[in-house]
Amino acid sequence: MFDLKAAGYSDPILVSGTDGVGTKLMLALRTGIHNTVGIDLVAMCANDVLAQGAEPLFFLDYFATGKLEEGIAEAVISGIAEGCHQSGCALVGGETAEMPGMYPPGHYDLAGFVVGAVDRDKVLPRMDTMVAGDLLIGIASSGPHSNGYSLIRRIVEREGLSYDSASPFSSQTLGEALLTPTRLYAGVALPLIRKGLVKGLAHITGGGLTENTPRMCPDHLVPVIERKAWTPPPVFEWLQSAGNVAEERCTVPSIWASAWSSPLRRKTLIQSAPSCRQRVSPPSFWGVLLPHDAPQACHSDLWPWLQYGSPAAGG
Protein backbone atom coordinates (compact mmCIF):
# COMPACT_ATOMS: atom_id res chain seq x y z
CA MET A 1 0.00 0.00 0.00
CA PHE A 2 1.11 3.57 -0.68
CA ASP A 3 -0.32 6.55 1.21
CA LEU A 4 -0.49 9.37 -1.34
CA LYS A 5 -1.83 11.84 1.21
CA ALA A 6 1.16 11.23 3.46
CA ALA A 7 3.39 11.80 0.44
CA GLY A 8 2.01 15.32 0.13
CA TYR A 9 -0.54 14.95 -2.67
CA SER A 10 -3.92 16.67 -2.37
CA ASP A 11 -5.68 15.59 -5.59
CA PRO A 12 -3.42 12.91 -7.09
CA ILE A 13 -3.54 11.21 -10.47
CA LEU A 14 -1.67 7.91 -10.80
CA VAL A 15 0.58 7.48 -13.85
CA SER A 16 2.13 4.12 -14.76
CA GLY A 17 4.71 2.97 -17.25
CA THR A 18 6.48 -0.19 -18.33
CA ASP A 19 9.52 -0.79 -20.52
CA GLY A 20 12.64 -2.88 -21.06
CA VAL A 21 16.26 -2.32 -22.05
CA GLY A 22 16.17 -3.84 -25.53
CA THR A 23 19.23 -5.20 -27.28
CA LYS A 24 21.57 -3.14 -25.10
CA LEU A 25 21.40 -6.29 -22.96
CA MET A 26 23.49 -8.03 -25.65
CA LEU A 27 26.40 -5.70 -24.82
CA ALA A 28 26.10 -6.55 -21.14
CA LEU A 29 26.27 -10.24 -22.05
CA ARG A 30 29.28 -9.73 -24.35
CA THR A 31 31.24 -7.61 -21.88
CA GLY A 32 30.22 -9.18 -18.59
CA ILE A 33 29.21 -5.73 -17.29
CA HIS A 34 25.80 -6.21 -15.70
CA ASN A 35 25.57 -3.43 -13.11
CA THR A 36 24.43 -0.64 -15.45
CA VAL A 37 21.49 -2.13 -17.39
CA GLY A 38 19.36 -2.00 -14.25
CA ILE A 39 19.78 1.78 -14.24
CA ASP A 40 18.63 1.79 -17.88
CA LEU A 41 15.58 -0.25 -16.94
CA VAL A 42 14.46 2.20 -14.26
CA ALA A 43 15.26 5.24 -16.40
CA MET A 44 13.26 4.14 -19.42
CA CYS A 45 10.20 3.74 -17.20
CA ALA A 46 10.68 6.68 -14.82
CA ASN A 47 11.51 9.19 -17.55
CA ASP A 48 8.31 8.27 -19.38
CA VAL A 49 5.99 9.01 -16.44
CA LEU A 50 7.95 12.19 -15.75
CA ALA A 51 6.77 13.43 -19.14
CA GLN A 52 3.26 13.54 -17.63
CA GLY A 53 4.59 15.58 -14.72
CA ALA A 54 4.51 12.57 -12.41
CA GLU A 55 6.95 11.82 -9.60
CA PRO A 56 8.09 8.17 -9.79
CA LEU A 57 6.91 6.55 -6.55
CA PHE A 58 7.68 2.85 -6.73
CA PHE A 59 9.17 0.34 -9.11
CA LEU A 60 8.94 -3.42 -9.72
CA ASP A 61 11.22 -5.51 -11.92
CA TYR A 62 11.04 -8.82 -13.77
CA PHE A 63 14.28 -10.77 -14.28
CA ALA A 64 14.01 -13.90 -16.42
CA THR A 65 16.78 -16.39 -17.22
CA GLY A 66 17.28 -20.05 -18.04
CA LYS A 67 19.51 -20.68 -15.03
CA LEU A 68 20.63 -18.30 -12.32
CA GLU A 69 24.38 -17.75 -12.52
CA GLU A 70 26.43 -16.45 -9.65
CA GLY A 71 26.83 -12.71 -9.57
CA ILE A 72 24.74 -11.78 -12.62
CA ALA A 73 21.33 -11.28 -11.01
CA GLU A 74 22.93 -9.52 -8.06
CA ALA A 75 24.73 -7.08 -10.35
CA VAL A 76 21.59 -6.36 -12.37
CA ILE A 77 19.46 -5.78 -9.28
CA SER A 78 22.14 -3.52 -7.77
CA GLY A 79 21.79 -1.38 -10.89
CA ILE A 80 18.01 -1.33 -10.50
CA ALA A 81 18.42 -0.20 -6.90
CA GLU A 82 20.81 2.56 -8.03
CA GLY A 83 18.33 3.70 -10.70
CA CYS A 84 15.57 3.86 -8.10
CA HIS A 85 17.85 5.89 -5.84
CA GLN A 86 18.64 8.34 -8.63
CA SER A 87 14.97 8.79 -9.52
CA GLY A 88 13.78 8.98 -5.91
CA CYS A 89 11.44 6.00 -6.11
CA ALA A 90 11.19 2.84 -3.99
CA LEU A 91 12.08 -0.63 -5.25
CA VAL A 92 9.14 -2.45 -3.66
CA GLY A 93 9.48 -5.89 -5.23
CA GLY A 94 9.86 -7.92 -8.36
CA GLU A 95 9.95 -11.39 -9.87
CA THR A 96 12.94 -13.58 -10.64
CA ALA A 97 11.96 -16.33 -13.07
CA GLU A 98 14.25 -19.30 -13.70
CA MET A 99 13.05 -21.11 -16.83
CA PRO A 100 15.38 -23.91 -18.03
CA GLY A 101 15.54 -24.19 -21.81
CA MET A 102 13.94 -20.80 -22.43
CA TYR A 103 17.19 -18.82 -22.77
CA PRO A 104 20.73 -19.72 -23.89
CA PRO A 105 23.25 -20.12 -21.05
CA GLY A 106 24.10 -16.80 -19.41
CA HIS A 107 21.30 -14.92 -21.15
CA TYR A 108 18.50 -13.05 -19.43
CA ASP A 109 15.77 -10.51 -20.09
CA LEU A 110 14.46 -7.59 -18.09
CA ALA A 111 11.20 -5.71 -17.77
CA GLY A 112 10.24 -2.93 -15.41
CA PHE A 113 7.08 -1.27 -14.16
CA VAL A 114 6.79 2.10 -12.42
CA VAL A 115 3.93 3.94 -10.76
CA GLY A 116 4.07 7.69 -10.28
CA ALA A 117 1.73 10.41 -9.07
CA VAL A 118 1.01 14.02 -9.92
CA ASP A 119 -1.58 16.43 -8.57
CA ARG A 120 -4.34 17.04 -11.06
CA ASP A 121 -3.44 20.70 -11.62
CA LYS A 122 0.19 19.78 -12.41
CA VAL A 123 -0.48 17.14 -15.09
CA LEU A 124 1.58 17.69 -18.26
CA PRO A 125 1.41 18.78 -21.00
CA ARG A 126 -0.61 21.92 -20.32
CA MET A 127 -1.38 22.56 -23.98
CA ASP A 128 -3.99 25.21 -23.25
CA THR A 129 -1.28 27.44 -21.75
CA MET A 130 1.20 27.10 -24.63
CA VAL A 131 1.58 30.13 -26.90
CA ALA A 132 3.73 31.12 -29.83
CA GLY A 133 7.12 32.25 -28.52
CA ASP A 134 7.37 29.67 -25.75
CA LEU A 135 10.92 28.42 -25.54
CA LEU A 136 12.11 24.87 -26.07
CA ILE A 137 14.77 23.83 -23.57
CA GLY A 138 17.02 20.81 -24.04
CA ILE A 139 18.87 18.83 -21.37
CA ALA A 140 21.57 16.55 -22.74
CA SER A 141 21.56 12.79 -22.74
CA SER A 142 24.43 10.63 -21.52
CA GLY A 143 24.59 8.95 -24.93
CA PRO A 144 22.23 6.67 -26.89
CA HIS A 145 20.53 5.68 -23.62
CA SER A 146 18.68 2.45 -24.51
CA ASN A 147 17.83 3.26 -28.12
CA GLY A 148 19.26 2.02 -31.40
CA TYR A 149 21.47 -0.76 -30.10
CA SER A 150 20.68 -3.16 -32.93
CA LEU A 151 22.17 -0.59 -35.31
CA ILE A 152 25.03 0.19 -32.91
CA ARG A 153 26.00 -3.50 -32.65
CA ARG A 154 26.02 -3.77 -36.46
CA ILE A 155 28.32 -0.74 -36.74
CA VAL A 156 30.73 -2.22 -34.18
CA GLU A 157 30.74 -5.52 -36.06
CA ARG A 158 31.27 -3.86 -39.44
CA GLU A 159 34.17 -1.81 -38.03
CA GLY A 160 35.79 -5.04 -36.85
CA LEU A 161 36.02 -3.76 -33.28
CA SER A 162 35.91 -5.70 -30.05
CA TYR A 163 34.03 -4.41 -27.03
CA ASP A 164 37.35 -4.70 -25.19
CA SER A 165 38.94 -2.31 -27.72
CA ALA A 166 39.76 1.27 -26.79
CA SER A 167 36.76 3.46 -27.46
CA PRO A 168 37.19 5.75 -30.51
CA PHE A 169 35.32 8.52 -28.71
CA SER A 170 36.25 8.23 -25.00
CA SER A 171 38.95 7.03 -22.61
CA GLN A 172 37.02 3.85 -21.75
CA THR A 173 36.80 0.56 -23.56
CA LEU A 174 34.20 0.53 -26.30
CA GLY A 175 31.97 -1.76 -24.26
CA GLU A 176 32.13 0.44 -21.17
CA ALA A 177 31.39 3.56 -23.21
CA LEU A 178 28.40 2.04 -25.00
CA LEU A 179 27.01 0.74 -21.71
CA THR A 180 26.90 4.23 -20.20
CA PRO A 181 23.55 4.15 -18.42
CA THR A 182 20.52 6.20 -19.32
CA ARG A 183 20.30 9.54 -17.55
CA LEU A 184 17.44 9.98 -15.07
CA TYR A 185 15.83 13.42 -15.18
CA ALA A 186 13.59 13.40 -12.09
CA GLY A 187 16.11 15.31 -9.96
CA VAL A 188 16.24 18.29 -12.30
CA ALA A 189 12.69 18.25 -13.71
CA LEU A 190 10.50 17.69 -10.65
CA PRO A 191 11.46 20.89 -8.76
CA LEU A 192 10.66 22.94 -11.88
CA ILE A 193 7.39 21.09 -12.48
CA ARG A 194 6.30 21.72 -8.89
CA LYS A 195 6.99 25.43 -9.31
CA GLY A 196 4.77 25.51 -12.41
CA LEU A 197 7.64 26.53 -14.69
CA VAL A 198 7.17 23.72 -17.21
CA LYS A 199 4.31 23.55 -19.69
CA GLY A 200 5.28 20.28 -21.33
CA LEU A 201 7.96 17.62 -21.45
CA ALA A 202 8.95 15.18 -24.18
CA HIS A 203 11.08 12.13 -23.47
CA ILE A 204 13.17 11.83 -26.63
CA THR A 205 13.53 8.12 -27.33
CA GLY A 206 13.30 5.96 -30.44
CA GLY A 207 11.17 8.37 -32.48
CA GLY A 208 13.68 11.17 -32.06
CA LEU A 209 12.96 14.88 -31.87
CA THR A 210 10.67 14.90 -34.89
CA GLU A 211 8.24 12.32 -33.49
CA ASN A 212 8.41 12.90 -29.73
CA THR A 213 8.46 16.69 -29.40
CA PRO A 214 5.21 17.42 -31.31
CA ARG A 215 3.26 15.13 -28.96
CA MET A 216 3.44 17.71 -26.18
CA CYS A 217 2.25 20.58 -28.42
CA PRO A 218 -1.25 21.70 -29.42
CA ASP A 219 -2.22 21.34 -33.07
CA HIS A 220 -1.94 25.05 -33.83
CA LEU A 221 1.72 25.29 -32.75
CA VAL A 222 4.83 23.71 -34.21
CA PRO A 223 8.16 23.20 -32.45
CA VAL A 224 10.93 24.81 -34.49
CA ILE A 225 14.36 23.49 -33.49
CA GLU A 226 17.74 25.09 -34.23
CA ARG A 227 20.21 22.30 -34.89
CA LYS A 228 23.22 24.50 -34.00
CA ALA A 229 21.94 25.02 -30.46
CA TRP A 230 23.57 21.91 -29.00
CA THR A 231 26.57 19.65 -29.54
CA PRO A 232 25.76 15.93 -29.53
CA PRO A 233 27.84 13.65 -27.29
CA PRO A 234 30.92 12.31 -29.15
CA VAL A 235 29.40 8.83 -29.49
CA PHE A 236 26.85 10.18 -31.98
CA GLU A 237 29.53 11.73 -34.17
CA TRP A 238 31.39 8.41 -34.22
CA LEU A 239 28.25 6.43 -35.05
CA GLN A 240 27.39 8.81 -37.87
CA SER A 241 30.88 8.59 -39.35
CA ALA A 242 31.56 4.88 -38.83
CA GLY A 243 28.08 3.76 -39.77
CA ASN A 244 27.46 6.26 -42.57
CA VAL A 245 24.25 7.14 -40.76
CA ALA A 246 22.22 10.08 -42.01
CA GLU A 247 22.58 13.17 -39.81
CA GLU A 248 18.90 13.31 -38.93
CA ARG A 249 19.22 9.87 -37.36
CA CYS A 250 22.25 10.88 -35.30
CA THR A 251 21.09 14.28 -34.09
CA VAL A 252 18.20 12.98 -32.03
CA PRO A 253 19.89 12.16 -28.70
CA SER A 254 17.64 11.20 -25.82
CA ILE A 255 17.20 14.62 -24.31
CA TRP A 256 14.31 16.38 -22.67
CA ALA A 257 12.37 19.05 -24.47
CA SER A 258 10.47 21.49 -22.31
CA ALA A 259 8.07 24.22 -23.30
CA TRP A 260 8.74 27.32 -21.23
CA SER A 261 6.93 30.62 -21.06
CA SER A 262 8.75 33.37 -22.90
CA PRO A 263 9.86 36.01 -22.27
CA LEU A 264 8.31 36.38 -18.81
CA ARG A 265 9.80 33.17 -17.41
CA ARG A 266 13.20 33.44 -19.09
CA LYS A 267 14.81 35.12 -16.07
CA THR A 268 13.36 32.44 -13.80
CA LEU A 269 14.87 29.70 -15.98
CA ILE A 270 18.28 31.34 -15.95
CA GLN A 271 18.15 31.56 -12.17
CA SER A 272 17.35 27.84 -12.03
CA ALA A 273 20.13 26.86 -14.43
CA PRO A 274 22.83 26.42 -11.73
CA SER A 275 20.76 23.73 -10.00
CA CYS A 276 20.37 22.00 -13.37
CA ARG A 277 24.15 22.10 -13.87
CA GLN A 278 24.70 20.42 -10.51
CA ARG A 279 22.65 17.38 -11.58
CA VAL A 280 23.07 17.11 -15.35
CA SER A 281 24.58 19.01 -18.26
CA PRO A 282 23.37 22.62 -18.32
CA PRO A 283 20.12 23.27 -20.17
CA SER A 284 20.17 25.17 -23.44
CA PHE A 285 17.63 27.04 -25.50
CA TRP A 286 17.27 25.08 -28.71
CA GLY A 287 14.01 26.17 -30.21
CA VAL A 288 10.69 27.94 -29.96
CA LEU A 289 7.02 27.25 -30.55
CA LEU A 290 5.63 29.02 -33.61
CA PRO A 291 2.20 29.09 -35.24
CA HIS A 292 1.73 26.50 -37.97
CA ASP A 293 1.12 29.30 -40.47
CA ALA A 294 4.21 31.34 -39.52
CA PRO A 295 6.25 32.54 -42.53
CA GLN A 296 9.13 30.26 -43.40
CA ALA A 297 11.55 33.13 -42.78
CA CYS A 298 10.71 32.87 -39.07
CA HIS A 299 12.02 29.28 -39.13
CA SER A 300 15.22 30.00 -41.00
CA ASP A 301 17.74 31.08 -38.36
CA LEU A 302 16.91 31.11 -34.67
CA TRP A 303 20.55 30.75 -33.65
CA PRO A 304 21.48 34.40 -32.91
CA TRP A 305 18.35 34.86 -30.80
CA LEU A 306 18.84 31.57 -28.96
CA GLN A 307 22.50 32.40 -28.27
CA TYR A 308 21.49 35.74 -26.79
CA GLY A 309 18.91 34.09 -24.58
CA SER A 310 20.89 31.04 -23.46
CA PRO A 311 21.69 30.41 -19.78
CA ALA A 312 25.40 30.43 -20.63
CA ALA A 313 25.08 33.88 -22.19
CA GLY A 314 23.01 35.14 -19.26
CA GLY A 315 20.50 36.83 -21.57
Side-chain angles (χ1 to χ4, degrees):
M1 293 186 291
F2 199 99
D3 189 341
L4 290 171
K5 187 174 182 180
Y9 293 94
S10 57
D11 186 19
I13 301 291
L14 291 179
V15 182
S16 62
T18 187
D19 211 334
V21 181
T23 60
K24 191 174 185 177
L25 288 178
M26 298 296 293
L27 273 67
L29 297 172
R30 292 283 298 274
T31 62
I33 301 171
H34 300 284
N35 62 347
T36 59
V37 290
I39 301 175
D40 291 304
L41 183 66
V42 177
M44 296 306 289
C45 298
N47 287 345
D48 273 349
V49 300
L50 195 60
Q52 305 299 311
E55 174 188 12
L57 297 177
F58 59 86
F59 186 85
L60 298 100
D61 69 273
Y62 176 75
F63 178 94
T65 187
K67 184 179 186 301
L68 286 171
E69 298 191 15
E70 184 178 357
I72 294 180
E74 292 89 340
V76 171
I77 294 169
S78 73
I80 294 172
E82 174 60 23
C84 288
H85 174 72
Q86 290 184 28
S87 63
C89 69
L91 177 58
V92 297
E95 169 70 10
T96 299
E98 193 173 19
M99 298 181 286
M102 180 66 74
Y103 298 94
H107 286 233
Y108 59 89
D109 201 4
L110 294 174
F113 178 79
V114 71
V115 173
V118 55
D119 274 322
R120 193 180 303 270
D121 62 350
K122 294 291 194 299
V123 172
L124 298 178
R126 294 184 286 125
M127 293 186 184
D128 59 327
T129 68
M130 294 184 188
V131 296
D134 279 355
L135 299 175
L136 296 171
I137 311 301
I139 300 177
S141 72
S142 57
H145 284 186
S146 297
N147 305 293
Y149 275 82
S150 295
L151 174 60
I152 290 171
R153 289 186 297 111
R154 288 187 62 186
I155 292 173
V156 171
E157 181 181 356
R158 194 171 71 176
E159 288 292 291
L161 295 174
S162 162
Y163 291 108
D164 294 327
S165 305
S167 167
F169 52 87
S170 77
S171 59
Q172 303 164 289
T173 67
L174 182 58
E176 289 169 340
L178 292 175
L179 281 168
T180 298
T182 304
R183 176 165 283 156
L184 288 119
Y185 295 96
V188 63
L190 282 173
L192 303 176
I193 293 170
R194 289 166 179 155
K195 292 177 182 178
L197 298 176
V198 179
K199 295 183 177 184
L201 286 172
H203 184 198
I204 310 303
T205 54
L209 292 169
T210 57
E211 292 184 23
N212 290 281
T213 310
R215 294 176 187 168
M216 69 172 180
C217 302
D219 291 340
H220 66 283
L221 295 174
V222 59
V224 179
I225 297 167
E226 174 53 68
R227 173 59 189 86
K228 292 181 288 187
W230 77 91
T231 301
V235 59
F236 290 102
E237 297 179 5
W238 177 74
L239 289 170
Q240 182 180 351
S241 174
N244 193 27
V245 181
E247 182 177 9
E248 59 268 22
R249 295 192 65 187
C250 268
T251 54
V252 287
S254 305
I255 59 179
W256 282 84
S258 309
W260 299 75
S261 177
S262 168
L264 193 59
R265 298 279 178 90
R266 179 179 295 177
K267 184 176 181 181
T268 307
L269 171 67
I270 293 166
Q271 291 170 344
S272 71
S275 65
C276 294
R277 290 189 180 95
Q278 290 170 9
R279 295 182 177 93
V280 294
S281 299
S284 58
F285 295 99
W286 51 258
V288 66
L289 296 184
L290 292 179
H292 261 293
D293 57 357
Q296 189 62 34
C298 295
H299 298 212
S300 60
D301 193 3
L302 299 171
W303 181 232
W305 183 78
L306 292 172
Q307 276 187 306
Y308 177 76
S310 70

